[in-house]
Amino acid sequence: MTFDMNLVVNSFPLLLIGAGVTIQITVLSTAIGFVIGLIVGVARISNLRVLRMLAEVYVEFFRGTPLLVQIFLFYFALPVITGQRIDPFIAAISACGINSGAYVAEIFRAGIQSVDDGQMEAGRSLGMTWLQTMRYIIVPQAFKRVIPPLGNEFIAMLKDSSLVSVIGFEELTRRGQLIIAKTYGSFEIWMSVAVIYLVMTLTISRFVAYLERRYRVHD
């Protein structure tokens, strides 16, 4: 068996386009997950029982069911309910973003709870409300502590985004499948796809390590 380097070189531009789409899905999904996760994470530790219960149901459902099933729910099941076809891109971003939000919520919850209780008491003694204390004192401190797990979540979403290929969305993995269907070069293409994923994840890991060093919390 020989390794066809010409196939790799010729396919590389198409794979890079797919990699760009993968990054786009990851960035948008993680951004949605960040917003949802921050809100749900705060709700998880709020004094309102109803909020805590709703947040817990959300987190348990989306962490307890496979992302692949959630993608199917958005792309195949939701149109049956609404009567409207959903664009694959919207379905992919929605499913990945909401799934990411459940994990980010737990990251923020743990980060907020790691901040000393005296910080909340200090804020309240200054006349701040609970939400003001969370916004201006607790969350900024917690954010520095959750940079590493947030980076891990971004990397996990980058790899999990390959699942959207099942609904025909042409990200990196799907591009590889289409090229293989035409060239039959399974080994060369899948190795190329793996290397591209590896380069992206290593780059993100280095960036997260840089942020961690810059915003390191000194106890």
Side-chain angles (χ1 to χ4, degrees):
M1 178 181 175
T2 59
F3 189 87
D4 190 351
M5 195 64 191
N6 288 329
L7 175 59
V8 174
V9 172
N10 293 333
S11 303
F12 200 66
L14 292 175
L15 292 176
L16 282 183
I17 294 173
V21 175
T22 292
I23 293 174
Q24 184 181 16
I25 293 174
T26 305
V27 170
L28 292 175
S29 299
T30 309
I32 293 171
F34 183 92
V35 174
I36 295 175
L38 179 57
I39 295 171
V40 175
V42 172
R44 289 270 282 162
I45 58 173
S46 74
N47 297 323
L48 297 177
R49 181 178 175 82
V50 174
L51 279 181
R52 290 202 308 272
M53 290 181 61
L54 290 174
E56 184 175 356
V57 168
Y58 164 77
V59 169
E60 293 300 329
F61 178 82
F62 285 99
R63 291 183 70 195
T65 56
L67 175 57
L68 182 61
V69 173
Q70 294 166 23
I71 292 171
F72 285 152
L73 283 173
F74 272 90
Y75 189 65
F76 295 113
L78 198 57
V80 174
I81 298 173
T82 62
Q84 298 290 328
R85 180 183 177 275
I86 297 179
D87 183 88
F89 182 77
I90 300 299
I93 296 299
S94 300
C96 291
I98 294 176
N99 176 272
S100 178
Y103 289 91
V104 173
E106 287 299 277
I107 292 172
F108 272 118
R109 180 189 61 78
I112 290 170
Q113 290 181 328
S114 72
V115 177
D116 188 86
D117 292 338
Q119 299 291 315
M120 175 60 74
E121 295 172 3
R124 297 305 297 272
S125 68
L126 292 173
M128 290 184 177
T129 64
W130 187 87
L131 282 176
Q132 288 174 329
T133 306
M134 290 294 297
R135 178 180 177 183
Y136 295 110
I137 298 178
I138 306 298
V139 172
Q141 294 183 63
F143 179 74
K144 295 179 182 180
R145 305 185 183 203
V146 300
I147 287 176
L150 283 178
N152 292 335
E153 170 59 22
F154 190 91
I155 292 172
M157 182 51 63
L158 177 72
K159 293 183 289 185
D160 288 345
S161 66
S162 62
L163 293 173
V164 303
S165 62
V166 299
I167 58 175
F169 197 73
E170 293 189 21
E171 40 66 69
L172 178 56
T173 299
R174 182 60 177 168
R175 286 273 179 172
Q177 291 174 333
L178 294 175
I179 293 172
I180 291 170
K182 294 180 180 179
T183 63
Y184 302 101
S186 299
F187 180 69
E188 292 88 347
I189 298 304
W190 285 132
M191 278 300 298
S192 300
V193 169
V195 168
I196 292 173
Y197 272 116
L198 181 62
V199 169
M200 290 192 293
T201 55
L202 286 176
T203 301
I204 296 167
S205 296
R206 298 296 182 271
F207 179 68
V208 170
Y210 164 76
L211 289 178
E212 186 179 2
R213 289 193 302 270
R214 182 169 182 178
Y215 297 105
R216 181 170 295 157
V217 176
H218 299 281
D219 294 324

